[in-house]
């Protein structure tokens, strides 16, 4: 109240003095409002533009709204780059045609100083000369009246510069312009990064889409070509079949040949012409024609058939060719006139057997609509050979009787040969003795490397154990060698290269040991060495080190350079050993321990390793018993819609609580199952539990009668023989609709065998099952799974969800996957939601479905049968 009274009592002079202050304050607020609007406009640009070229001009327009920026450019620079990029340049004097300038030409100038120092720079026509000398930069081109240069920084790293300059005395810049450009520069960098990221993402998606489209077109062409090949193979098979099966009329045989030809090409009219024994007359054992029902045998003349007999090759003749043949006296005039009158198209191919032409098979069409092509000609040429062979088989049946007459004479000849055979058998006995000696050698040596095999090595090792027991001062050791990456070499270069690799390895190892030491190959990529009579254990270490070094050297196979490695387990022969198998077992255990520590090393066996192996064996045995006796715990957890809270399905999974070790981790659970070779059995166990729950719901719980159950299935299981039929058979036997079952496949497993998994996945999808790609992003995530594979849903790996909102990088990745899901029309599931914050963020981003303890904790399936029903959302 007092303020208002004081204001009322102010004099006119005092009020006039307040007016400039109020105007200045108003101007300040107005400029602040313009700045905020500029930042908002820049943010909007980053969200609306997908091309950097459009973004730069838009930013220039925004800056020009609050200051004179007729001369404006943006320079981008990466350290150690040979060029400075100018994605946007507008200057009334220094016009740059090219979009980049060599760094060495620009780095000493004004812009180069900003890029090097990371400091902003303000210049005027009055101080530019003095400032250039003080800061050590050069002035290129026409000096500006006023100049403001702002570094563009990503964090602490300078990535470019933004410059406005004036060549007009009437356009000058002040501190407010500098402050404004400094304030918006970082926002501009963020906008550039966002648009550039979107531009790269869209470009990658376009290129990938184009690539997939090309691949699909190639596959379609390959499918059509294979179908043609299959049709041709089927035709050849049928030709062979009818030649062997028809014993009666030859007319039936020729009619069947005509039907087969008609499936390969247009053959409404077909005939077979053969030469008589004197080769001067044509006979027609088969003739089927739309215009002429019969044809009589005739002497050789200048018809179409005779032309093929003379040329000795398949011919395509139509009305456009007959005139030329007539002029060369190859065809008579009647034939030419009939061809032109009927618009005839004719294909003929010689029937050749053992290099001799015995006849011609021909097909023909009438009318201008039907014309044969060179492809038809090649097809008839190929098939005619098989037809000729089939015809020859029929003729061969007539010669069987003559052959029987000759058989008697051959029996007499064979009797004489038996005497000669007896003499030959004596010689064979002598050769057999040599073979037996070789068999003895082969029984004790590896056929590939010619090294001693397991049998011979065990025999020598037993002698070494007996020697140690008799002479304890003698020293012996066994080295068990396993090669790294042998399977990759075998799969990549083929088995021949794999064999060469093993031979080369045997030579290298042989050079690392003494003459009286024994090197043997146990099989595959496993080698063993018996070191005989060494003085100190350091000698054994030297041998092991030389072997590892030798195997680490590159291998060259067919101009391919490959690398391998070796892990070595060492077991010293002590007096307590009784058998060779005990020593090999302990050396093998030491080798596995060496591989677990990182490969490419050697380890000496100790009793702790044996104890660990026994514990692992005991754990595997307990696993087998638990599976057999149904002692695994089954839990279910729903996947729910993020908005409507309706359940999509319930996921069923197993947990194992060991009597002494407690709860077994999920990763260890599947590792034990893999080592036991029981992954398929575990999959079928989970399938049976899921079907049991579905049957119970359909029989007793109307609320869950339409619910779905999901289980995880191993990709390796999917690749076995009739696995798909086995799964569908179990579902059918249980009386459950396939639409009630959901199968989840781990991305990491799919990465290893993706090229073989597509066909069985399509079979499951066609049968009606719902397919989910689980743990997406945990491995080498491939967009091909989203484009080509029939997955209905994709689960984002729980580790990405867990880091929300702490990790902005993972949040951006999740946001990108959600964006792709909308573009590619698949639904997304966020796995492992454990907090309200994660749920709210994912819901805001547009994620459709979620799963986790925040939504609902897992429940044992015993509650389904004994307790209240599961939540339906």
């Amino acid at each position: 109240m007092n303020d208002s009274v004081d204001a009322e009592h102010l004099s006119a002079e005092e009020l006039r003095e307040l007016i400039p202050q109020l105007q200045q304050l108003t101007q300040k607020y107005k400029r602040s409002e313009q700045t905020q609007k500029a930042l908002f406009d820049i943010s909007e640009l980053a969200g609306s533009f997908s091309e950097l070229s459009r973004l730069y001009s838009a930013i220039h327009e925004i800056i020009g709204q609050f200051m004179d920026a007729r001369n404006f450019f943006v320079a981008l620079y990466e350290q150690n780059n040979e060029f400075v990029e100018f994605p946007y340049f507008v200057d009334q004097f220094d016009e740059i045609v090219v979009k980049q300038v060599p760094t060495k030409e620009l780095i000493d100038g004004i812009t180069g100083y900003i890029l090097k120092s990371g400091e902003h720079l303000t210049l005027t026509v009055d101080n530019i000369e003095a400032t250039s000398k003080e800061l050590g930069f050069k002035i290129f081109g026409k000096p500006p009246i006023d100049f403001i240069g702002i570094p563009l920084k990503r964090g602490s790293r300078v990535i470019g510069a933004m410059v406005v300059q004036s060549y007009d005395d009437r356009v000058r810049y002040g501190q407010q312009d500098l402050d404004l450009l400094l304030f918006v520069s970082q926002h501009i960098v963020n906008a550039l990064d966002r648009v550039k990221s979107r531009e790269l993402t869209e470009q990658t998606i376009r290129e990938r889409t184009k690539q997939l489209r090309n691949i699909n077109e190639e596959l379609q062409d390959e499918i059509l070509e294979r179908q043609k090949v299959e049709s041709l193979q089927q035709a050849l098979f049928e030709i062979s079949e009818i030649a062997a099966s028809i014993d009666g009329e030859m007319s039936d045989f020729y009619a069947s040949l005509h039907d087969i030809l008609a499936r390969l090409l247009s053959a409404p009219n077909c005939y077979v012409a053969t030469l008589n024994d004197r080769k001067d007359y044509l006979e027609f054992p088969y003739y089927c024609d739309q215009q002429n029902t019969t044809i009589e045998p005739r002497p050789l003349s200048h018809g179409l058939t005779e032309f093929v007999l003379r040329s000795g090759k398949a011919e395509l003749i139509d009305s456009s060719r007959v005139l030329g043949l007539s002029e060369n006296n190859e065809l008579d005039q009647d034939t030419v006139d009939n061809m032109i009158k009927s618009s005839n198209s004719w294909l003929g191919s010689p029937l050749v057997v053992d290099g001799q032409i015995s006849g011609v098979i021909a097909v023909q069409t009438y009318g201008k609509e039907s014309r044969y092509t060179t492809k038809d000609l090649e097809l008839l040429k190929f098939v005619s050979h098989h037809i000729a062979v089939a015809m020859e088989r029929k003729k061969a049946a007539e010669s069987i009787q003559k052959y029987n007459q000759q058989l008697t004479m051959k029996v007499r000849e064979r009797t004489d040969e038996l005497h000669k055979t007896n003499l030959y058998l004596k010689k064979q006995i002598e050769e057999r003795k040599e073979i037996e000696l070789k068999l003895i050698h082969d029984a004790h040596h590896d056929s590939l490397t010619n090294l001693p095999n397991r049998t011979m090595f065990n025999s020598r090792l037993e002698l070494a154990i007996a020697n140690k027991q008799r002479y304890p001062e003698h020293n012996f050791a066994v080295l068990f060698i396993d090669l790294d990456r042998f399977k990759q070499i075998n799969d990549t270069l083929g088995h021949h290269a794999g064999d060469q690799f093993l031979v080369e390895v045997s030579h290298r190892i042989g050079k690392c040991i003494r003459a009286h030491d024994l090197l043997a190959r146990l099989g595959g990529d496993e080698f063993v060495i018996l070191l005989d009579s060494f003085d100190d254990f350091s000698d054994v270490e030297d041998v092991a080190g030389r072997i590892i070094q030798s195997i680490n050297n590159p291998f060259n196979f067919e101009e391919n350079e490959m690398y391998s490695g070796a892990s070595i387990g060492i077991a010293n022969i002590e007096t307590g050993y009784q058998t060779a198998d005990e020593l090999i077992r302990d050396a093998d255990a030491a080798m596995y321990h060496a591989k677990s520590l990182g490969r490419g090393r050697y380890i000496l066996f100790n009793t702790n390793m044996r104890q660990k192996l026994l514990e692992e064996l005991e754990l595997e045995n307990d696993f087998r018993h638990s599976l057999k006796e149904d002692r695994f715990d089954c839990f279910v957890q729903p996947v729910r819609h993020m908005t409507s809270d309706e359940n999509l399905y319930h996921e069923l999974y197993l947990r194992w609580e060991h009597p002494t070790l407690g709860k077994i981790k999920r990763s260890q659970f599947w590792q034990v199952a893999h080592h036991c070779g029981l992954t398929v059995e575990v999959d079928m166990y989970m399938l049976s539990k899921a079907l049991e729950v579905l049957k119970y719901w359909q029989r007793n719980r109307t609320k869950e009668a339409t619910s779905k159950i999901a289980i995880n299935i191993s990709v390796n299981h999917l690749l076995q023989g009739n696995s798909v039929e086995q799964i569908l058979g179990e579902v059918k036997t249980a009386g459950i609709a396939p639409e009630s079952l959901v199968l989840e496949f781990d991305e990491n497993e799919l990465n290893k065998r993706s090229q073989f998994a597509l066909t069985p996945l399509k079979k499951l999808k066609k049968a009606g099952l719902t397919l989910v790609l689980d743990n997406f992003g945990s491995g080498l995530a491939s967009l091909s799974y989203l484009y080509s594979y029939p997955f209905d849903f994709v689960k984002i790996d729980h580790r990405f969800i867990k880091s929300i909102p702490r990790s902005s990088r993972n949040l951006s990745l999740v946001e990108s996957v959600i964006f792709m899901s909308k573009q590619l029309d698949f639904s997304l599931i966020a796995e492992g939601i454990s907090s309200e914050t994660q749920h709210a963020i994912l819901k805001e981003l547009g994620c459709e479905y979620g799963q986790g303890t925040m939504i609902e904790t897992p429940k044992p399936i015993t509650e389904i049968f004994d307790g209240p029903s599961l939540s339906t959302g």
Side-chain angles (χ1 to χ4, degrees):
M1 187 67 181
N2 291 333
D3 293 338
S4 63
V5 171
D6 292 341
E8 291 175 358
H9 289 85
L10 290 174
S11 64
E13 183 66 29
E14 291 173 331
L15 288 173
R16 278 195 295 271
E17 292 176 355
L18 286 175
I19 288 174
Q21 297 178 15
L22 292 174
Q23 289 176 341
Q24 184 178 8
L25 185 60
T26 301
Q27 187 66 24
K28 179 180 179 181
Y29 284 130
K30 183 177 180 181
R31 191 171 185 84
S32 176
E33 182 180 357
Q34 288 177 336
T35 304
Q36 292 298 325
K37 183 178 183 302
L39 295 179
F40 177 78
D41 291 341
I42 291 171
S43 177
E44 285 292 310
L45 291 175
S48 60
F49 287 162
S50 61
E51 296 179 2
L52 286 172
S53 59
R54 297 176 59 195
L55 178 65
Y56 293 124
S57 60
I59 291 174
H60 184 193
E61 183 178 351
I62 292 171
I63 293 176
Q65 292 175 3
F66 54 83
M67 64 183 295
D68 190 304
R70 280 174 291 177
N71 304 292
F72 172 83
F73 68 83
V74 176
L76 298 180
Y77 173 65
E78 292 290 340
Q79 291 185 357
N80 301 324
N81 200 336
E82 295 181 2
F83 294 93
V84 175
E85 304 288 340
F86 285 85
Y88 187 78
F89 196 101
V90 177
D91 193 281
Q92 62 189 109
F93 289 101
D94 294 328
E95 286 198 27
I96 296 182
V97 178
V98 294
K99 294 297 183 179
Q100 58 184 11
V101 175
T103 302
K104 61 182 180 180
E105 295 180 11
L106 191 72
I107 201 66
D108 293 330
I110 301 175
T111 306
Y113 172 79
I114 298 172
L115 295 176
K116 288 189 296 183
S117 66
E119 301 291 335
H120 67 272
L121 189 61
T122 58
L123 301 172
T124 67
V125 69
D126 302 317
N127 69 1
I128 187 169
E129 292 290 338
T131 305
S132 67
K133 294 178 181 179
E134 178 185 351
L135 299 181
F137 59 80
K138 300 176 181 179
I139 301 173
F140 303 110
K142 179 178 177 60
I145 301 298
D146 258 11
F147 175 96
I148 299 179
I150 306 298
L152 299 178
K153 296 183 179 181
R154 186 182 290 117
S156 61
R157 184 165 63 88
V158 177
I159 66 167
M162 178 177 63
V163 173
V164 292
Q165 52 189 342
S166 167
Y167 298 97
D168 190 345
D169 287 329
R170 294 170 296 177
V171 178
R172 304 301 294 265
Y173 301 129
Q175 183 63 35
Q176 289 183 339
D177 298 319
L178 173 63
D179 294 340
L180 186 61
L181 289 177
L182 286 171
F183 185 67
V184 302
S185 63
Q186 186 56 45
H187 297 277
I188 291 175
V189 171
N190 293 337
L192 292 177
D193 287 345
R194 289 178 62 188
V195 174
K196 186 174 183 179
S197 176
R198 186 183 301 110
E199 185 179 56
L200 290 174
T201 300
E202 292 178 355
Q203 180 181 359
T204 301
I205 291 175
R206 287 194 298 270
E207 291 175 353
R208 187 60 177 162
T209 302
K210 181 179 179 182
Q211 181 182 8
L212 290 174
R213 187 181 299 113
N214 292 338
I215 292 174
N216 184 59
E217 291 174 356
E218 292 174 1
L219 287 174
Q220 293 300 325
D221 293 339
E222 184 177 350
I223 289 172
L224 291 176
E225 190 64 29
R226 290 189 177 182
Q227 288 175 346
K228 292 179 181 178
V229 172
E230 289 175 358
S231 299
L232 181 58
Q233 289 177 339
Q234 179 64 24
L236 298 181
F237 175 78
E238 292 179 7
I239 290 172
S240 178
E241 284 291 299
I242 62 173
S245 61
I246 297 179
D247 299 324
E249 297 294 328
M250 286 296 293
S251 59
D252 295 335
F253 169 72
Y254 290 119
S256 299
L257 289 178
H258 186 186
D259 291 338
I260 294 170
L261 269 179
R263 295 204 304 269
L264 298 177
L265 48 81
S266 176
N269 311 292
C270 175
Y271 68 84
V272 175
T274 59
L275 288 168
N276 63 356
D277 294 336
R278 294 192 303 274
K279 307 292 184 181
D280 60 353
Y281 220 81
L282 279 180
E283 299 174 344
F284 298 88
Y286 180 76
Y287 190 87
C288 178
D289 193 273
Q290 295 171 320
Q291 295 185 359
N292 302 309
T293 56
T294 60
I295 189 171
E296 296 296 329
R298 60 177 173 81
L300 293 177
S301 62
H302 281 75
L304 298 173
T305 305
E306 291 87 340
F307 175 68
V308 172
L309 292 174
R310 290 195 302 272
S311 67
K313 59 182 182 180
E315 297 287 351
L316 167 58
I317 302 173
D318 52 25
S319 55
S320 63
R321 190 183 175 196
V322 292
L323 293 176
L325 293 176
S326 175
E327 292 175 358
N328 295 331
N329 296 323
E330 295 290 351
L331 297 177
D332 56 44
Q333 192 59 42
D334 290 339
T335 301
V336 172
D337 293 340
N338 289 333
M339 289 284 293
I340 295 175
K341 179 181 178 181
S342 303
S343 297
N344 201 7
S345 183
W346 186 88
L347 284 179
S349 179
L351 299 173
V352 181
V353 178
D354 296 331
Q356 297 294 321
I357 299 177
S358 60
V360 172
I361 183 168
V363 294
Q364 56 186 339
T365 61
Y366 301 105
K368 297 181 179 180
E369 290 77 17
S370 299
R371 287 287 184 270
Y372 291 123
T373 65
T374 54
K375 288 187 177 180
D376 297 326
L377 177 65
E378 290 298 321
L379 183 60
L380 181 63
K381 179 180 178 182
F382 181 78
V383 175
S384 65
H385 172 71
H386 297 272
I387 292 176
V389 172
M391 292 172 57
E392 191 66 21
R393 287 184 184 175
K394 288 295 183 181
K395 295 178 180 178
E398 300 175 358
S399 64
I400 291 178
Q401 185 175 3
K402 295 180 181 179
Y403 175 79
N404 290 334
Q405 295 173 354
Q406 297 172 355
L407 187 60
T408 303
M409 184 179 296
K410 284 190 173 291
V411 169
R412 188 178 302 110
E413 294 174 354
R414 290 291 292 168
T415 303
D416 295 335
E417 292 176 358
L418 284 175
H419 177 68
K420 298 178 181 178
T421 302
N422 289 332
L423 298 176
Y424 176 72
L425 287 175
K426 291 180 180 180
K427 183 179 179 180
Q428 276 192 322
I429 292 173
E430 296 175 357
E431 293 176 350
R432 184 180 296 274
K433 292 179 180 179
E434 296 178 2
I435 293 173
E436 288 176 351
L437 294 175
K438 186 177 185 304
L439 288 175
I440 294 173
H441 177 272
D442 292 345
H444 293 84
H445 290 79
D446 174 53
S447 59
L448 177 63
T449 62
N450 204 34
L451 292 176
N453 59 11
R454 182 185 295 271
T455 301
M456 184 174 178
F457 184 83
N458 283 359
S459 178
R460 283 283 302 274
L461 189 54
E462 295 284 357
L463 294 175
I465 293 173
N467 186 296
K468 181 69 175 180
Q469 292 172 348
R470 186 173 181 182
Y471 304 104
E473 68 275 14
H474 291 178
N475 294 322
F476 301 91
V478 173
L479 277 66
F480 195 107
I481 305 170
D482 183 81
L483 304 177
D484 298 334
R485 292 181 290 278
F486 171 70
K487 187 177 184 302
Q488 291 179 345
I489 295 174
N490 231 10
D491 295 343
T492 304
L493 301 180
H495 293 288
H496 177 67
D499 291 344
Q500 286 183 305
F501 169 74
L502 292 175
V503 172
E504 175 64 20
V505 167
S506 67
H507 291 161
R508 293 189 183 187
I509 297 176
K511 295 177 181 179
C512 298
I513 61 176
R514 300 165 299 180
H516 59 275
D517 296 328
L518 180 64
L519 168 63
R521 180 188 176 211
L522 297 185
D525 60 341
E526 295 178 341
F527 295 81
V528 286
I529 299 173
L530 174 61
L531 294 183
D532 192 352
S533 300
F534 56 88
D535 297 327
D536 188 79
F537 182 73
S538 61
D539 298 334
V540 180
E541 291 180 316
D542 289 341
V543 173
R546 289 198 300 269
I547 293 172
I548 291 174
Q549 180 60 42
S550 177
I551 302 303
N552 282 339
N553 292 331
F555 293 81
N556 294 296
F557 302 113
E558 300 175 355
E559 299 181 355
N560 293 301
E561 187 173 84
M562 303 294 293
Y563 290 87
S564 181
S567 300
I568 302 177
I570 304 172
N572 282 328
I573 299 181
E574 305 293 346
T575 55
Y577 284 108
Q578 300 297 322
T579 65
D581 289 337
E582 293 175 355
L583 261 166
I584 295 176
R585 175 201 63 197
D586 290 348
D588 187 26
M591 181 275 295
Y592 274 106
H593 188 62
K595 293 188 76 167
S596 67
L597 294 178
R599 304 189 179 189
R601 63 184 67 206
Y602 58 87
I603 293 294
L604 177 64
F605 174 81
N606 59 53
T607 55
N608 292 334
M609 297 178 190
R610 183 185 298 129
Q611 183 61 33
K612 182 179 179 182
L613 288 175
L614 292 174
E615 290 175 357
E616 292 178 355
L617 182 61
E618 182 180 356
L619 184 63
E620 291 180 4
N621 289 335
D622 292 341
F623 185 91
R624 293 178 185 275
H625 290 302
S626 296
L627 178 61
K628 185 177 180 180
E629 298 169 8
D630 193 11
R631 286 195 273 113
F632 291 142
D633 298 321
C634 295
F635 292 85
V636 290
Q637 187 179 31
V639 172
R640 190 167 293 167
H641 197 279
M642 301 283 281
T643 303
S644 66
D645 283 341
E646 293 183 358
N647 287 339
L648 178 63
Y649 61 81
H650 287 82
E651 180 183 358
L652 183 146
Y653 58 89
L654 302 180
R655 290 292 181 266
W656 181 27
E657 186 163 355
H658 193 270
T660 58
L661 300 178
K663 292 183 179 180
I664 304 299
K665 293 182 179 179
R666 183 176 184 270
S667 59
Q668 187 180 9
F669 177 93
W670 287 108
Q671 183 180 6
V672 174
H674 178 72
H675 287 167
C676 295
L678 295 177
T679 53
V680 174
E681 288 75 5
V682 173
D683 288 347
M684 299 308 294
Y685 176 85
M686 286 196 296
L687 177 61
S688 66
K689 290 295 182 183
L691 295 175
E692 185 179 348
V693 172
L694 289 171
K695 286 193 292 185
Y696 182 83
W697 281 346
Q698 292 183 7
R699 188 169 59 248
N700 300 306
R701 305 292 181 122
T702 58
K703 198 186 305 182
E704 292 91 354
T706 59
S707 296
K708 296 182 179 183
I709 287 287
I711 59 173
N712 275 273
I713 291 292
S714 169
V715 175
N716 290 329
H717 177 190
L718 198 64
L719 301 180
Q720 294 191 6
N722 59 345
S723 59
V724 174
E725 290 75 12
Q726 185 182 12
I727 292 172
L728 297 178
E730 292 289 332
V731 175
K732 182 178 180 181
T733 302
I736 298 298
E739 290 76 13
S740 300
L741 192 62
V742 181
L743 300 184
E744 297 187 357
F745 299 93
D746 186 81
E747 182 207 352
N748 279 304
E749 286 193 7
L750 195 61
N751 283 332
K752 301 174 184 177
R753 306 297 295 275
S754 60
Q755 67 269 36
F756 306 108
L758 183 57
T759 299
L761 284 174
K762 287 183 176 179
K763 289 183 180 178
L764 291 171
K765 176 67 178 176
K766 186 177 181 181
L769 279 73
T770 301
L771 305 182
V772 179
L773 177 61
D774 197 9
N775 294 328
F776 182 76
S778 61
L780 300 174
S782 174
L783 290 179
S784 65
Y785 301 148
L786 309 182
Y787 282 100
S788 305
Y789 287 70
F791 289 112
D792 301 284
F793 300 92
V794 173
K795 263 191 182 182
I796 301 180
D797 187 72
H798 65 91
R799 284 170 288 193
F800 293 102
I801 306 303
K802 183 179 180 181
S803 63
I804 295 175
R806 298 190 313 273
S807 173
S808 59
R809 184 176 182 180
N810 286 350
L811 182 61
S812 298
L813 185 142
V814 173
E815 186 177 5
S816 298
V817 177
I818 292 173
F819 175 78
M820 284 193 293
S821 71
K822 294 176 181 178
Q823 299 299 316
L824 302 180
D825 196 24
F826 64 85
S827 297
L828 203 65
I829 302 171
E831 182 182 16
I833 302 175
S834 58
S835 69
E836 290 284 354
T837 303
Q838 295 170 354
H839 186 276
I841 291 174
L842 291 167
K843 184 177 179 181
E844 183 179 353
L845 290 176
C847 183
E848 287 189 72
Y849 299 97
Q851 181 183 26
T853 55
M854 179 268 160
I855 295 176
E856 186 172 314
T857 57
K859 295 181 180 180
I861 64 171
T862 53
E863 292 189 11
I864 299 176
F865 306 114
D866 302 331
S869 66
L870 294 175
S871 169
T872 58

